[in-house]
Coordinates of all heavy atoms in Angstrom, one line a residue:
M5 N -44.7 -16.4 -32.1 CA -44.6 -15.0 -31.6 C -44.9 -15.0 -30.1 O -45.8 -15.7 -29.6 CB -45.7 -14.2 -32.3 CG -45.6 -12.7 -32.1 SD -46.9 -11.8 -32.9 CE -46.8 -12.2 -34.6
P6 N -44.1 -14.2 -29.3 CA -44.3 -14.2 -27.9 C -45.7 -13.7 -27.6 O -46.3 -12.8 -28.3 CB -43.3 -13.1 -27.4 CG -42.2 -13.1 -28.5 CD -43.0 -13.4 -29.8
I7 N -46.3 -14.2 -26.5 CA -47.6 -13.9 -26.1 C -47.6 -13.1 -24.8 O -46.9 -13.4 -23.9 CB -48.4 -15.2 -25.8 CG1 -48.5 -16.1 -27.0 CG2 -49.8 -14.9 -25.2 CD1 -49.4 -15.6 -28.1
V8 N -48.4 -12.0 -24.8 CA -48.6 -11.2 -23.5 C -50.0 -11.2 -23.2 O -50.9 -11.1 -24.1 CB -48.1 -9.7 -23.7 CG1 -48.4 -8.9 -22.5 CG2 -46.6 -9.6 -24.2
T9 N -50.3 -11.5 -21.9 CA -51.7 -11.4 -21.4 C -51.8 -10.0 -20.6 O -51.1 -9.8 -19.7 CB -52.1 -12.6 -20.5 OG1 -51.9 -13.8 -21.3 CG2 -53.5 -12.4 -20.1
Y10 N -52.8 -9.2 -21.1 CA -53.1 -8.0 -20.4 C -54.4 -8.3 -19.5 O -55.4 -8.7 -20.0 CB -53.4 -6.9 -21.4 CG -52.2 -6.5 -22.2 CD1 -51.9 -7.2 -23.4 CD2 -51.4 -5.4 -21.9 CE1 -50.9 -6.9 -24.2 CE2 -50.3 -5.1 -22.7 CZ -50.1 -5.8 -23.9 OH -49.1 -5.5 -24.7
I11 N -54.3 -7.9 -18.2 CA -55.5 -8.0 -17.4 C -56.0 -6.5 -17.3 O -55.3 -5.7 -16.7 CB -55.2 -8.6 -16.0 CG1 -54.6 -10.0 -16.2 CG2 -56.5 -8.6 -15.1 CD1 -54.1 -10.6 -14.9
L12 N -57.2 -6.3 -17.8 CA -57.7 -4.9 -17.8 C -58.3 -4.5 -16.4 O -58.4 -5.4 -15.5 CB -58.8 -4.8 -18.9 CG -58.4 -5.3 -20.3 CD1 -59.5 -5.0 -21.3 CD2 -57.1 -4.7 -20.8
R13 N -58.6 -3.3 -16.3 CA -59.1 -2.8 -15.0 C -60.4 -3.5 -14.5 O -60.6 -3.6 -13.4 CB -59.3 -1.3 -15.1 CG -58.1 -0.5 -15.2 CD -58.3 1.0 -15.4 NE -57.0 1.7 -15.4 CZ -56.9 2.9 -16.0 NH1 -57.9 3.5 -16.5 NH2 -55.7 3.4 -16.0
D14 N -61.2 -3.9 -15.5 CA -62.4 -4.6 -15.1 C -62.2 -6.1 -15.0 O -63.2 -6.9 -14.7 CB -63.5 -4.3 -16.1 CG -63.2 -4.8 -17.5 OD1 -62.1 -5.5 -17.7 OD2 -64.0 -4.6 -18.4
G15 N -61.0 -6.6 -15.1 CA -60.7 -8.0 -14.9 C -60.6 -8.8 -16.2 O -60.2 -9.9 -16.2
E16 N -61.1 -8.2 -17.3 CA -61.0 -8.9 -18.6 C -59.6 -9.2 -19.0 O -58.7 -8.4 -18.7 CB -61.7 -8.0 -19.7 CG -61.7 -8.7 -21.0 CD -62.0 -7.7 -22.2 OE1 -62.6 -6.6 -21.9 OE2 -61.7 -8.0 -23.3
R17 N -59.4 -10.3 -19.5 CA -58.0 -10.7 -20.0 C -57.9 -10.7 -21.5 O -58.8 -11.2 -22.1 CB -57.6 -12.1 -19.4 CG -57.7 -12.3 -18.0 CD -57.5 -13.7 -17.5 NE -56.1 -14.2 -17.6 CZ -55.3 -14.1 -16.6 NH1 -55.7 -13.7 -15.5 NH2 -54.1 -14.6 -16.8
R18 N -56.9 -10.1 -22.0 CA -56.7 -10.1 -23.4 C -55.3 -10.7 -23.7 O -54.3 -10.2 -23.2 CB -56.7 -8.7 -24.0 CG -58.2 -8.2 -23.9 CD -58.6 -7.2 -24.9 NE -58.0 -7.3 -26.2 CZ -57.7 -6.3 -27.0 NH1 -58.0 -5.0 -26.7 NH2 -57.2 -6.5 -28.2
E19 N -55.3 -11.8 -24.5 CA -54.0 -12.4 -24.9 C -53.6 -11.9 -26.3 O -54.4 -12.1 -27.2 CB -54.3 -13.9 -24.9 CG -53.0 -14.7 -24.7 CD -53.4 -16.2 -24.4 OE1 -53.7 -16.5 -23.3 OE2 -53.4 -16.9 -25.4
I20 N -52.4 -11.4 -26.4 CA -52.0 -10.8 -27.6 C -50.7 -11.3 -28.1 O -49.7 -11.3 -27.2 CB -52.0 -9.2 -27.5 CG1 -53.5 -8.7 -27.3 CG2 -51.4 -8.6 -28.7 CD1 -53.6 -7.3 -27.0
G21 N -50.5 -11.6 -29.3 CA -49.2 -12.0 -29.8 C -48.4 -10.7 -30.1 O -48.9 -9.8 -30.8
V22 N -47.2 -10.6 -29.5 CA -46.4 -9.4 -29.6 C -45.1 -9.7 -30.3 O -44.3 -10.5 -29.7 CB -46.2 -8.7 -28.3 CG1 -45.4 -7.5 -28.4 CG2 -47.5 -8.4 -27.6
P23 N -44.8 -9.2 -31.5 CA -43.6 -9.5 -32.1 C -42.4 -9.1 -31.3 O -42.4 -8.1 -30.6 CB -43.6 -8.6 -33.4 CG -45.0 -8.2 -33.6 CD -45.6 -8.2 -32.2
A24 N -41.3 -10.0 -31.3 CA -40.1 -9.6 -30.7 C -39.6 -8.2 -31.2 O -39.7 -7.9 -32.3 CB -39.0 -10.7 -30.9
G25 N -39.1 -7.4 -30.2 CA -38.6 -6.1 -30.6 C -39.7 -5.1 -30.3 O -39.4 -3.9 -30.4
T26 N -40.9 -5.5 -30.1 CA -42.1 -4.5 -29.8 C -42.2 -4.5 -28.3 O -42.2 -5.5 -27.6 CB -43.3 -5.0 -30.4 OG1 -43.1 -5.0 -31.9 CG2 -44.5 -4.1 -30.2
S27 N -42.5 -3.3 -27.8 CA -42.7 -3.2 -26.3 C -44.1 -3.5 -25.9 O -45.0 -3.5 -26.8 CB -42.4 -1.7 -25.8 OG -43.4 -0.8 -26.2
V28 N -44.3 -3.9 -24.7 CA -45.6 -4.2 -24.1 C -46.5 -3.0 -24.3 O -47.7 -3.1 -24.5 CB -45.4 -4.6 -22.7 CG1 -46.7 -4.8 -22.0 CG2 -44.7 -6.0 -22.6
M29 N -46.0 -1.8 -24.1 CA -46.7 -0.5 -24.3 C -47.2 -0.4 -25.7 O -48.4 -0.2 -26.0 CB -45.9 0.6 -23.8 CG -46.5 2.0 -24.1 SD -46.4 2.7 -25.8 CE -44.7 3.3 -25.8
E30 N -46.2 -0.5 -26.7 CA -46.6 -0.4 -28.1 C -47.7 -1.3 -28.5 O -48.7 -1.0 -29.2 CB -45.4 -0.6 -29.0 CG -44.3 0.5 -28.9 CD -43.1 0.2 -29.6 OE1 -42.6 -1.0 -29.4 OE2 -42.5 1.0 -30.2
A31 N -47.5 -2.6 -28.1 CA -48.6 -3.6 -28.5 C -49.9 -3.3 -27.9 O -50.9 -3.5 -28.5 CB -48.1 -5.0 -28.0
A32 N -49.9 -2.7 -26.6 CA -51.2 -2.3 -26.0 C -51.9 -1.2 -26.9 O -53.1 -1.3 -27.2 CB -51.0 -1.8 -24.6
I33 N -51.1 -0.2 -27.3 CA -51.7 0.9 -28.0 C -52.2 0.4 -29.4 O -53.3 0.6 -29.8 CB -50.6 2.0 -28.3 CG1 -50.0 2.5 -27.0 CG2 -51.2 3.1 -29.1 CD1 -51.0 3.3 -26.1
R34 N -51.4 -0.4 -30.0 CA -51.8 -1.0 -31.4 C -53.0 -1.8 -31.3 O -53.8 -1.9 -32.3 CB -50.7 -1.8 -32.0 CG -49.6 -0.9 -32.5 CD -48.5 -1.8 -33.2 NE -47.3 -1.1 -33.3 CZ -46.1 -1.6 -33.5 NH1 -45.9 -2.9 -33.5 NH2 -45.0 -0.8 -33.5
N35 N -53.2 -2.5 -30.2 CA -54.4 -3.4 -30.1 C -55.5 -2.8 -29.2 O -56.4 -3.6 -28.8 CB -53.9 -4.7 -29.5 CG -53.0 -5.5 -30.5 OD1 -53.5 -6.2 -31.4 ND2 -51.7 -5.4 -30.3
N36 N -55.5 -1.6 -29.0 CA -56.6 -0.9 -28.3 C -56.8 -1.5 -26.9 O -58.0 -1.7 -26.5 CB -57.9 -0.9 -29.1 CG -57.8 -0.1 -30.4 OD1 -57.2 1.0 -30.4 ND2 -58.2 -0.7 -31.5
V37 N -55.7 -1.8 -26.2 CA -55.8 -2.2 -24.8 C -56.0 -1.0 -24.0 O -55.1 -0.1 -24.0 CB -54.6 -3.0 -24.4 CG1 -54.6 -3.3 -22.9 CG2 -54.4 -4.3 -25.2
R38 N -57.1 -0.9 -23.3 CA -57.4 0.4 -22.5 C -56.6 0.4 -21.3 O -56.3 -0.6 -20.6 CB -58.9 0.4 -22.2 CG -59.8 0.4 -23.4 CD -61.3 0.4 -23.0 NE -61.6 -0.8 -22.1 CZ -61.8 -2.0 -22.5 NH1 -61.8 -2.3 -23.8 NH2 -62.2 -2.9 -21.7
G39 N -56.1 1.7 -20.9 CA -55.6 1.9 -19.6 C -54.1 2.1 -19.6 O -53.5 2.4 -18.5
I40 N -53.4 2.1 -20.7 CA -52.0 2.5 -20.9 C -52.0 3.8 -21.7 O -52.3 3.7 -22.9 CB -51.2 1.3 -21.5 CG1 -51.1 0.1 -20.5 CG2 -49.7 1.9 -21.8 CD1 -50.3 -1.0 -21.0
D41 N -51.7 4.9 -21.0 CA -51.8 6.1 -21.7 C -50.5 6.4 -22.5 O -50.6 7.0 -23.7 CB -52.0 7.3 -20.7 CG -53.3 7.1 -20.0 OD1 -54.2 6.4 -20.5 OD2 -53.5 7.8 -18.9
A42 N -49.4 6.1 -22.0 CA -48.1 6.3 -22.7 C -47.9 7.7 -23.4 O -47.7 7.8 -24.5 CB -48.0 5.2 -23.8
E43 N -48.1 8.7 -22.5 CA -48.1 10.1 -23.0 C -46.8 10.5 -23.7 O -46.8 11.4 -24.6 CB -48.4 11.1 -21.9 CG -49.9 11.1 -21.5 CD -50.2 11.8 -20.2 OE1 -49.3 12.4 -19.6 OE2 -51.3 11.6 -19.7
C44 N -45.7 9.9 -23.3 CA -44.4 10.4 -23.9 C -44.0 9.5 -25.1 O -43.0 9.7 -25.7 CB -43.3 10.4 -22.9 SG -42.6 8.7 -22.5
G45 N -44.8 8.5 -25.4 CA -44.6 7.7 -26.6 C -43.4 6.7 -26.4 O -43.0 6.1 -27.3
G46 N -43.1 6.5 -25.2 CA -42.0 5.5 -24.9 C -40.6 6.0 -24.7 O -39.7 5.3 -24.7
C47 N -40.5 7.3 -24.5 CA -39.2 7.9 -24.3 C -38.8 8.0 -22.8 O -37.9 8.8 -22.5 CB -39.0 9.2 -25.1 SG -40.0 10.5 -24.5
L48 N -39.5 7.3 -22.0 CA -39.1 7.2 -20.6 C -39.1 8.6 -19.9 O -38.2 9.0 -19.2 CB -37.7 6.5 -20.4 CG -37.4 5.9 -19.1 CD1 -38.5 4.9 -18.6 CD2 -36.0 5.2 -19.2
S49 N -40.3 9.3 -20.0 CA -40.4 10.5 -19.3 C -41.8 10.8 -18.7 O -42.0 11.8 -18.0 CB -40.0 11.7 -20.2 OG -40.9 11.8 -21.2
C50 N -42.7 9.9 -18.9 CA -44.1 10.2 -18.4 C -44.6 9.2 -17.3 O -45.4 9.7 -16.5 CB -45.1 10.2 -19.5 SG -45.5 8.5 -20.1
A51 N -44.2 8.0 -17.2 CA -44.6 7.0 -16.3 C -46.1 6.7 -16.4 O -46.7 6.2 -15.4 CB -44.3 7.5 -14.8
T52 N -46.7 7.0 -17.5 CA -48.2 6.7 -17.7 C -48.3 5.3 -18.5 O -49.4 5.2 -19.1 CB -48.9 7.8 -18.4 OG1 -48.4 8.0 -19.7 CG2 -48.9 9.1 -17.6
C53 N -47.3 4.5 -18.4 CA -47.4 3.2 -19.0 C -47.2 2.1 -17.9 O -46.8 1.0 -18.2 CB -46.4 3.0 -20.2 SG -44.7 3.2 -19.5
H54 N -47.5 2.5 -16.7 CA -47.2 1.7 -15.5 C -48.1 0.4 -15.6 O -49.3 0.5 -15.8 CB -47.6 2.6 -14.3 CG -47.4 1.9 -13.0 ND1 -48.0 2.4 -11.9 CD2 -46.6 0.9 -12.6 CE1 -47.7 1.7 -10.8 NE2 -46.8 0.7 -11.2
V55 N -47.5 -0.7 -15.3 CA -48.3 -2.0 -15.1 C -47.6 -2.7 -13.9 O -46.6 -2.4 -13.5 CB -48.1 -2.9 -16.4 CG1 -48.8 -2.2 -17.6 CG2 -46.6 -3.2 -16.7
Y56 N -48.5 -3.7 -13.5 CA -48.0 -4.7 -12.5 C -47.7 -6.0 -13.2 O -48.6 -6.5 -13.9 CB -49.0 -4.9 -11.4 CG -49.3 -3.7 -10.6 CD1 -50.7 -3.4 -10.3 CD2 -48.4 -2.8 -10.1 CE1 -51.0 -2.3 -9.6 CE2 -48.7 -1.7 -9.3 CZ -50.1 -1.5 -9.1 OH -50.4 -0.3 -8.3
V57 N -46.6 -6.6 -13.0 CA -46.3 -7.9 -13.5 C -47.1 -8.9 -12.6 O -46.8 -8.9 -11.4 CB -44.8 -8.2 -13.6 CG1 -44.6 -9.7 -14.1 CG2 -44.1 -7.2 -14.5
D58 N -48.0 -9.6 -13.2 CA -48.9 -10.6 -12.4 C -48.0 -11.8 -11.9 O -47.1 -12.2 -12.6 CB -50.0 -11.1 -13.3 CG -51.1 -11.7 -12.5 OD1 -51.8 -11.0 -11.8 OD2 -51.2 -13.0 -12.5
A59 N -48.4 -12.2 -10.7 CA -47.8 -13.4 -10.1 C -47.8 -14.6 -11.0 O -47.0 -15.5 -10.9 CB -48.4 -13.6 -8.7
S60 N -48.8 -14.7 -11.8 CA -48.9 -15.9 -12.7 C -48.0 -15.9 -13.9 O -47.9 -16.8 -14.7 CB -50.4 -16.0 -13.2 OG -50.7 -15.0 -14.1
S61 N -47.3 -14.8 -14.1 CA -46.4 -14.6 -15.2 C -45.3 -15.6 -15.2 O -44.6 -15.8 -14.2 CB -45.8 -13.1 -15.2 OG -45.1 -12.9 -16.4
T62 N -45.0 -16.1 -16.4 CA -43.9 -17.2 -16.5 C -42.7 -16.6 -17.2 O -41.7 -17.3 -17.5 CB -44.4 -18.4 -17.2 OG1 -44.9 -18.0 -18.5 CG2 -45.5 -19.1 -16.4
A63 N -42.8 -15.3 -17.5 CA -41.8 -14.7 -18.4 C -40.5 -14.4 -17.7 O -40.5 -14.1 -16.5 CB -42.3 -13.4 -19.0
E64 N -39.4 -14.5 -18.3 CA -38.1 -14.0 -17.8 C -37.9 -12.6 -18.3 O -37.9 -12.3 -19.4 CB -36.9 -14.8 -18.4 CG -36.8 -16.2 -18.0 CD -35.8 -17.0 -18.8 OE1 -34.8 -16.4 -19.2 OE2 -36.0 -18.2 -19.0
L65 N -37.9 -11.7 -17.3 CA -37.8 -10.3 -17.6 C -36.4 -9.7 -17.3 O -35.8 -10.1 -16.3 CB -38.8 -9.5 -16.8 CG -40.3 -9.8 -17.0 CD1 -41.2 -9.0 -16.1 CD2 -40.6 -9.7 -18.5
P66 N -36.0 -8.7 -18.1 CA -34.8 -8.0 -17.7 C -35.1 -7.1 -16.5 O -36.2 -6.7 -16.3 CB -34.5 -7.2 -18.9 CG -35.8 -7.0 -19.6 CD -36.6 -8.2 -19.3
S67 N -34.1 -6.9 -15.6 CA -34.3 -6.0 -14.5 C -34.4 -4.6 -15.0 O -33.9 -4.2 -16.0 CB -33.1 -6.1 -13.6 OG -32.9 -7.4 -13.1
P68 N -35.2 -3.8 -14.2 CA -35.4 -2.3 -14.6 C -34.0 -1.6 -14.4 O -33.3 -1.9 -13.5 CB -36.4 -1.8 -13.6 CG -36.4 -2.8 -12.5 CD -36.0 -4.1 -13.0
D69 N -33.7 -0.7 -15.3 CA -32.5 0.1 -15.2 C -32.7 1.3 -14.2 O -33.9 1.5 -13.8 CB -31.9 0.5 -16.5 CG -32.8 1.5 -17.3 OD1 -33.7 2.1 -16.6 OD2 -32.6 1.7 -18.5
E70 N -31.7 2.0 -14.0 CA -31.8 3.2 -13.0 C -32.9 4.2 -13.4 O -33.7 4.7 -12.6 CB -30.5 3.9 -13.0 CG -29.4 3.1 -12.4 CD -28.9 3.5 -11.0 OE1 -29.1 4.7 -10.7 OE2 -28.6 2.6 -10.2
S71 N -33.0 4.5 -14.7 CA -33.9 5.5 -15.2 C -35.3 5.0 -15.0 O -36.2 5.8 -14.6 CB -33.7 5.8 -16.7 OG -32.4 6.1 -17.0
E72 N -35.6 3.8 -15.3 CA -37.0 3.2 -15.0 C -37.3 3.3 -13.6 O -38.4 3.7 -13.2 CB -37.1 1.8 -15.6 CG -38.5 1.2 -15.4 CD -38.6 -0.2 -15.9 OE1 -37.7 -0.7 -16.6 OE2 -39.7 -0.8 -15.7
L73 N -36.4 2.9 -12.7 CA -36.6 2.9 -11.3 C -36.9 4.3 -10.7 O -37.8 4.5 -9.9 CB -35.4 2.3 -10.5 CG -35.2 0.8 -10.7 CD1 -33.9 0.3 -10.1 CD2 -36.3 0.0 -10.0
E74 N -36.1 5.2 -11.3 CA -36.3 6.6 -10.9 C -37.7 7.1 -11.3 O -38.5 7.7 -10.5 CB -35.3 7.5 -11.6 CG -34.8 8.7 -10.9 CD -33.6 9.3 -11.5 OE1 -32.5 8.7 -11.3 OE2 -33.8 10.2 -12.3
L75 N -38.2 6.8 -12.5 CA -39.5 7.3 -12.9 C -40.6 6.5 -12.2 O -41.7 7.1 -12.0 CB -39.6 7.0 -14.5 CG -40.5 7.9 -15.2 CD1 -40.2 9.4 -15.0 CD2 -40.4 7.6 -16.7
L76 N -40.4 5.3 -11.8 CA -41.4 4.6 -11.0 C -41.7 5.2 -9.7 O -42.7 5.0 -9.2 CB -40.9 3.1 -10.9 CG -41.2 2.2 -12.1 CD1 -40.4 0.9 -11.8 CD2 -42.7 1.9 -12.3
E77 N -40.8 6.0 -9.2 CA -41.0 6.7 -8.0 C -42.2 7.7 -8.1 O -42.8 8.1 -7.1 CB -39.8 7.5 -7.5 CG -38.8 6.5 -7.0 CD -37.4 7.1 -6.6 OE1 -37.4 8.4 -6.5 OE2 -36.4 6.4 -6.5
G78 N -42.5 8.1 -9.3 CA -43.5 9.1 -9.5 C -44.8 8.6 -10.1 O -45.6 9.4 -10.6
V79 N -45.1 7.3 -10.1 CA -46.3 6.8 -10.7 C -47.5 7.2 -9.9 O -47.5 7.5 -8.7 CB -46.3 5.3 -10.9 CG1 -45.3 4.9 -11.9 CG2 -46.0 4.6 -9.5
A80 N -48.7 7.3 -10.6 CA -49.9 7.8 -10.0 C -50.6 6.7 -9.1 O -51.1 7.0 -8.1 CB -50.9 8.2 -11.1
A81 N -50.5 5.5 -9.6 CA -51.1 4.4 -8.8 C -50.0 3.9 -7.8 O -48.9 4.2 -7.9 CB -51.5 3.2 -9.7
E82 N -50.5 3.1 -6.9 CA -49.6 2.5 -5.8 C -48.4 1.9 -6.5 O -48.6 1.1 -7.4 CB -50.3 1.5 -5.0 CG -49.5 0.8 -4.0 CD -50.1 -0.4 -3.4 OE1 -51.3 -0.7 -3.8 OE2 -49.5 -1.0 -2.5
R83 N -47.2 2.2 -6.1 CA -46.0 1.5 -6.6 C -45.8 0.2 -5.8 O -45.9 0.2 -4.6 CB -44.8 2.3 -6.5 CG -43.6 1.6 -7.1 CD -42.3 2.4 -7.0 NE -41.2 1.6 -7.4 CZ -39.9 2.0 -7.4 NH1 -39.7 3.2 -6.9 NH2 -39.0 1.2 -7.9
R84 N -45.6 -0.9 -6.5 CA -45.4 -2.2 -5.9 C -44.1 -2.8 -6.3 O -43.6 -2.4 -7.4 CB -46.6 -3.1 -6.3 CG -47.9 -2.6 -5.8 CD -49.0 -3.6 -6.2 NE -50.3 -3.1 -5.9 CZ -51.4 -3.7 -6.4 NH1 -51.4 -4.7 -7.2 NH2 -52.6 -3.2 -6.1
P85 N -43.6 -3.8 -5.7 CA -42.4 -4.5 -6.1 C -42.5 -5.0 -7.5 O -41.5 -5.0 -8.3 CB -42.2 -5.7 -5.1 CG -43.0 -5.2 -3.9 CD -44.2 -4.4 -4.4
E86 N -43.7 -5.3 -8.0 CA -43.9 -5.8 -9.3 C -44.2 -4.8 -10.4 O -44.6 -5.0 -11.5 CB -45.0 -6.9 -9.4 CG -46.4 -6.5 -8.9 CD -46.7 -6.5 -7.4 OE1 -45.7 -6.4 -6.6 OE2 -47.9 -6.6 -7.1
S87 N -44.1 -3.5 -10.0 CA -44.3 -2.4 -10.9 C -43.2 -2.3 -12.0 O -42.1 -2.5 -11.7 CB -44.3 -1.0 -10.1 OG -45.5 -0.9 -9.3
R88 N -43.7 -2.1 -13.2 CA -42.8 -1.9 -14.3 C -43.4 -0.8 -15.2 O -44.6 -0.6 -15.2 CB -42.6 -3.2 -15.1 CG -41.9 -4.3 -14.4 CD -40.4 -3.9 -14.0 NE -39.6 -3.5 -15.0 CZ -38.7 -4.3 -15.6 NH1 -38.5 -5.6 -15.2 NH2 -37.8 -3.9 -16.6
L89 N -42.5 -0.2 -16.0 CA -43.0 0.7 -17.1 C -43.0 -0.1 -18.4 O -42.0 -0.7 -18.8 CB -42.1 1.9 -17.2 CG -42.1 2.8 -16.0 CD1 -41.1 4.0 -16.2 CD2 -43.5 3.3 -15.7
S90 N -44.2 -0.2 -18.9 CA -44.4 -1.2 -20.0 C -43.7 -0.8 -21.3 O -43.4 -1.6 -22.2 CB -45.9 -1.4 -20.4 OG -46.5 -0.2 -20.6
C91 N -43.3 0.5 -21.4 CA -42.5 0.9 -22.6 C -41.1 0.3 -22.5 O -40.4 0.3 -23.6 CB -42.5 2.4 -22.8 SG -41.5 3.3 -21.6
Q92 N -40.7 -0.1 -21.3 CA -39.3 -0.6 -21.2 C -39.3 -2.2 -21.3 O -38.2 -2.8 -21.2 CB -38.7 -0.2 -19.9 CG -38.7 1.3 -19.7 CD -37.8 1.9 -20.8 OE1 -36.7 1.7 -21.0 NE2 -38.5 2.8 -21.7
L93 N -40.4 -2.7 -21.4 CA -40.5 -4.2 -21.6 C -40.6 -4.5 -23.0 O -41.7 -4.6 -23.6 CB -41.7 -4.8 -20.8 CG -41.7 -4.5 -19.3 CD1 -43.0 -4.9 -18.7 CD2 -40.5 -5.3 -18.7
V94 N -39.4 -4.7 -23.7 CA -39.3 -5.0 -25.1 C -39.3 -6.5 -25.3 O -38.4 -7.1 -24.7 CB -38.1 -4.3 -25.7 CG1 -38.1 -4.6 -27.2 CG2 -38.3 -2.7 -25.5
M95 N -40.2 -7.0 -26.0 CA -40.4 -8.4 -26.0 C -39.3 -9.2 -26.7 O -38.7 -8.8 -27.7 CB -41.7 -8.8 -26.8 CG -43.0 -8.4 -26.0 SD -43.1 -9.0 -24.4 CE -43.4 -10.8 -24.7
T96 N -39.0 -10.3 -26.1 CA -38.0 -11.3 -26.6 C -38.7 -12.7 -26.5 O -39.7 -12.8 -25.8 CB -36.7 -11.4 -25.8 OG1 -37.1 -11.9 -24.5 CG2 -36.0 -10.1 -25.7
P97 N -38.3 -13.7 -27.2 CA -39.0 -15.0 -27.1 C -39.0 -15.5 -25.6 O -40.0 -16.1 -25.2 CB -38.1 -15.9 -27.9 CG -37.6 -15.0 -29.0 CD -37.3 -13.7 -28.3
A98 N -38.0 -15.2 -24.8 CA -38.0 -15.6 -23.4 C -39.0 -14.9 -22.6 O -39.4 -15.4 -21.5 CB -36.6 -15.3 -22.8
M99 N -39.6 -13.8 -23.1 CA -40.6 -13.1 -22.3 C -42.0 -13.6 -22.6 O -43.0 -13.0 -22.1 CB -40.4 -11.6 -22.6 CG -39.2 -11.0 -21.9 SD -38.8 -9.4 -22.5 CE -40.2 -8.4 -21.9
S100 N -42.1 -14.5 -23.5 CA -43.5 -15.1 -23.8 C -44.1 -15.6 -22.5 O -43.4 -16.2 -21.7 CB -43.4 -16.2 -24.9 OG -44.7 -16.5 -25.4
G101 N -45.4 -15.4 -22.3 CA -46.0 -15.9 -21.1 C -46.2 -14.7 -20.1 O -46.7 -14.9 -19.0
L102 N -45.7 -13.5 -20.5 CA -45.8 -12.4 -19.6 C -47.3 -12.0 -19.4 O -48.1 -12.0 -20.3 CB -45.1 -11.2 -20.3 CG -45.2 -9.9 -19.6 CD1 -44.5 -9.9 -18.2 CD2 -44.4 -8.8 -20.4
V103 N -47.6 -11.8 -18.1 CA -48.9 -11.4 -17.7 C -48.8 -10.1 -17.0 O -48.1 -10.0 -16.0 CB -49.7 -12.4 -16.8 CG1 -51.1 -12.0 -16.5 CG2 -49.6 -13.8 -17.5
V104 N -49.5 -9.0 -17.5 CA -49.4 -7.7 -16.8 C -50.8 -7.2 -16.5 O -51.8 -7.4 -17.3 CB -48.7 -6.6 -17.7 CG1 -47.3 -7.0 -17.9 CG2 -49.4 -6.4 -19.0
Q105 N -50.9 -6.6 -15.3 CA -52.1 -6.0 -14.9 C -52.1 -4.5 -15.2 O -51.1 -3.8 -14.9 CB -52.4 -6.1 -13.4 CG -52.7 -7.5 -12.9 CD -52.9 -7.5 -11.4 OE1 -53.1 -6.4 -10.8 NE2 -52.8 -8.7 -10.9
I106 N -53.1 -4.0 -15.8 CA -53.2 -2.5 -16.0 C -53.5 -1.8 -14.6 O -54.4 -2.3 -14.0 CB -54.3 -2.2 -17.1 CG1 -54.2 -3.0 -18.3 CG2 -54.3 -0.7 -17.3 CD1 -52.9 -2.7 -19.1
V107 N -52.8 -0.8 -14.2 CA -53.1 -0.2 -13.0 C -54.3 0.6 -13.0 O -54.9 0.9 -14.1 CB -51.9 0.7 -12.6 CG1 -50.6 -0.1 -12.4 CG2 -51.7 1.9 -13.5
Q108 N -54.9 1.0 -11.9 CA -56.2 1.7 -11.8 C -56.1 3.1 -12.3 O -57.1 3.7 -12.8 CB -56.8 1.6 -10.4 CG -57.3 0.2 -10.0 CD -58.3 -0.3 -11.0 OE1 -59.3 0.4 -11.4 NE2 -58.2 -1.6 -11.4
K109 N -55.0 3.8 -12.2 CA -54.9 5.1 -12.8 C -53.5 5.4 -13.2 O -52.5 4.9 -12.6 CB -55.4 6.2 -11.8 CG -54.6 6.2 -10.5 CD -55.1 7.4 -9.6 CE -54.3 7.4 -8.2 NZ -54.7 8.4 -7.4
Q110 N -53.4 6.2 -14.3 CA -52.0 6.5 -14.8 C -51.6 8.0 -14.6 O -50.5 8.3 -14.7 CB -52.0 6.3 -16.4 CG -52.2 4.8 -16.7 CD -51.0 4.0 -16.5 OE1 -50.0 4.4 -15.9 NE2 -51.1 2.7 -16.9
G111 N -52.5 8.8 -14.3 CA -52.1 10.2 -14.1 C -53.1 11.0 -13.3 O -54.1 10.5 -12.9
Ligands
FES28 S1 -44.5 5.6 -22.3 FE1 -43.8 7.3 -21.1 S2 -42.5 6.3 -19.6 FE2 -43.4 4.7 -20.8

């Protein structure tokens, strides 16, 4: 099963097996990873599932589409080149090794 490491706001790291087809956001909610609010439930309208892809990440990620890029313009925390919306990161085997940092604020 693909592995995702979440770096929490306090620096704690949580490594979680995420089934292919499940988003990084959904896995966070199911596993009580704090700091991803996901107010819209993954329908790409809230931007409260913002994460930073960590430099140590070895995952191959799909590029963000236009809708994700547009929504990233309104995130509450600083937007960075490595910013992604975790509801749009749907796991595949090639994405195993993904490391994401939870941003300091979502809304
Ligand atoms: S959960 Fe709302 S945009 Fe990702």
Side-chain angles (χ1 to χ4, degrees):
M5 188 182 303
I7 301 291
V8 177
T9 301
Y10 297 84
I11 303 175
L12 306 186
R13 289 176 180 157
D14 63 4
E16 183 193 340
R17 297 172 78 94
R18 290 206 38 208
E19 204 170 274
I20 293 174
V22 180
T26 298
S27 75
V28 171
M29 176 279 281
E30 290 170 317
I33 302 292
R34 283 186 201 156
N35 291 280
N36 297 315
V37 172
R38 299 177 305 278
I40 293 182
D41 296 345
E43 285 168 9
C44 77
C47 64
L48 202 51
S49 64
C50 72
T52 61
C53 61
H54 181 201
V55 294
Y56 299 133
V57 175
D58 192 73
S60 65
S61 183
T62 57
E64 290 173 31
L65 298 182
S67 300
D69 66 15
E70 295 253 326
S71 306
E72 181 179 351
L73 288 172
E74 212 167 279
L75 207 52
L76 279 167
E77 289 174 15
V79 291
E82 178 193 0
R83 181 183 177 183
R84 299 179 185 168
E86 62 272 26
S87 287
R88 295 298 302 260
L89 295 178
S90 57
C91 69
Q92 300 304 299
L93 297 173
V94 178
M95 292 305 291
T96 63
M99 288 166 66
S100 191
L102 177 60
V103 183
V104 295
Q105 288 179 19
I106 309 294
V107 300
Q108 287 302 318
K109 61 177 176 177
Q110 294 287 5

